[in-house]
Amino acid sequence: SHVYMMGGNKVGDMDTVKKTIRALLISAKNGLTPNQLAKDYEVIIGEPLPVKKLGYRSLMDLVYSIPDVIQVTINAYGRITLRGIADTSSRHIAQLVSKQRSTKSYSRIKSHPSTPHLKS
């Protein structure tokens, strides 16, 4: 379903859009409003967010379709703030690292002879 171009990413590709949005939001400490996000995207990429091209009716339509990328907060005054969610690949790497750490200490414990008399 993704559009792949020979020799690199197409700007209108959903994966590229998600990566760009995530990077913009994560680098904005206090999050961005939808308008700010749209403006920043256009400044960085040089063209507007391809909302319609990706098949969405509006920016918020797109925003709500990628909960793995954007956390939406609406305050009491109805102000919408968008924040970036660290992606699964960085989370996955973090998990691997911590898993490796725990397996190392675990294998040290396991190398002791088992003590069956504890099971009574």
Side-chain angles (χ1 to χ4, degrees):
S1 68
H2 289 304
V3 184
Y4 291 110
M5 295 290 282
M6 296 302 287
N9 271 341
K10 191 168 159 289
V11 177
D13 174 19
M14 188 64 186
D15 286 341
T16 315
V17 169
K18 281 168 79 166
K19 278 184 193 126
T20 309
I21 288 175
R22 178 179 280 128
L24 287 171
L25 291 176
I26 287 175
S27 62
K29 223 196 218 134
N30 301 313
L32 297 172
T33 66
N35 282 344
Q36 288 170 327
L37 173 62
K39 257 183 220 143
D40 282 8
Y41 184 95
E42 196 164 346
V43 168
I44 299 285
I45 299 296
E47 58 174 78
L49 252 165
V51 175
K52 300 269 193 305
K53 209 184 290 177
L54 292 168
Y56 297 98
R57 292 188 304 275
S58 67
L59 175 58
M60 287 313 290
D61 204 12
L62 166 63
V63 162
Y64 282 121
S65 78
I66 47 173
D68 55 320
V69 176
I70 304 176
Q71 181 197 354
V72 182
T73 320
I74 303 174
N75 74 5
Y77 306 103
R79 181 186 162 92
I80 299 169
T81 304
L82 310 176
R83 288 186 176 82
I85 296 170
D87 73 332
T88 42
S89 63
S90 57
R91 213 179 292 143
H92 182 61
I93 291 163
Q95 277 173 349
L96 280 181
V97 172
S98 61
K99 213 180 263 170
Q100 276 177 329
R101 282 200 199 109
S102 58
T103 4
K104 279 191 186 120
S105 51
Y106 180 65
S107 55
R108 235 181 320 199
I109 299 163
K110 215 177 168 183
S111 58
H112 291 301
S114 59
T115 45
H117 65 269
L118 285 177
K119 292 185 196 146
S120 53

